[in-house]
Amino acid sequence: MATTLEIINGISQVLANSYDGALDESGEPVKIGLRREEGNPLIDSRIMDGFGAYISGDRLHIKYHSEIPLKEVHSNGFEGEMESMVEKVKSFLQKEFKKVTKSSLTLSDPSEVDVLVEYISRIRCSVKVHKCFKIGGLPVEPEKEVDPAFEKFTALGGLK
């Protein structure tokens, strides 16, 4: 069983290896599943998107950002498409975590996806997506006993 520090270091290493233009061991570009990887970068217009992650307690928060045409926001299934992008990032993190640490990363699904669309111009808008996952395998810290003197102090009103 991995310690909390080993899990955090593994996730940190995966995020460090996933910047735009990163290459894998064989010299091929790292494929995450983002929109910027589609098409030919020399002749197609560059798509701005990316992701980030941070850990808070026993939760892994994945954030995805993209600039998309306004007509895509009004299409059917937009929120589902944004959730699938976060799922692609999640599966990439799990796959690369297994490569880096030789152990698996379990992420359960405790929250819904939050999609924030911000108007930039009449043509495009900014989309920010956030989803939280519970990290499995983190050792649970035992609850600490409360000092009886502290309980008495708070029962009397504490500092006033």
Side-chain angles (χ1 to χ4, degrees):
M1 180 176 199
T3 65
T4 304
L5 182 61
E6 291 171 346
I7 293 172
I8 292 172
N9 284 340
I11 292 172
S12 176
Q13 187 60 50
V14 169
L15 291 173
N17 295 340
S18 61
Y19 57 90
D20 188 19
L23 301 175
D24 60 6
E25 299 83 26
S26 62
E28 296 294 319
V30 174
K31 296 288 184 188
I32 301 169
L34 300 177
R35 298 175 61 164
R36 67 180 178 214
E37 298 164 355
E38 301 169 1
N40 187 342
L42 296 177
I43 57 175
D44 294 338
S45 62
R46 192 73 177 151
I47 296 175
M48 304 241 336
D49 73 343
F51 74 94
Y54 66 93
I55 297 173
S56 176
D58 64 344
R59 308 287 173 140
L60 175 69
H61 298 263
I62 296 177
K63 301 179 295 177
Y64 172 74
H65 174 267
S66 181
E67 289 184 5
I68 61 171
L70 189 59
K71 64 181 179 181
E72 285 186 30
V73 173
H74 297 294
S75 66
N76 290 338
F78 171 72
E79 188 172 333
E81 182 182 332
M82 292 297 109
E83 187 168 6
S84 71
M85 291 302 279
V86 172
E87 291 297 323
K88 287 179 186 178
V89 171
K90 173 190 164 190
S91 65
F92 170 77
L93 287 173
Q94 289 175 320
K95 183 180 69 168
E96 292 296 315
F97 186 86
K98 189 160 186 91
K99 282 183 189 176
V100 169
T101 64
K102 309 292 188 259
S103 63
S104 63
L105 177 65
T106 307
L107 298 174
S108 63
D109 211 7
S111 74
E112 294 182 4
V113 64
D114 294 326
V115 180
L116 174 66
V117 179
E118 296 176 324
Y119 179 83
I120 295 177
S121 68
R122 292 183 180 181
I123 299 171
R124 62 189 177 142
C125 55
S126 171
V127 177
K128 296 177 183 173
V129 184
H130 174 264
K131 190 163 183 181
C132 175
F133 297 95
K134 182 169 180 12
I135 302 172
L138 283 180
V140 179
E141 294 184 20
E143 292 187 27
K144 296 180 181 175
E145 294 183 24
V146 179
D147 187 19
F150 182 73
E151 285 182 351
K152 182 178 177 185
F153 173 74
T154 55
L156 294 174
L159 295 175
K160 290 189 182 190

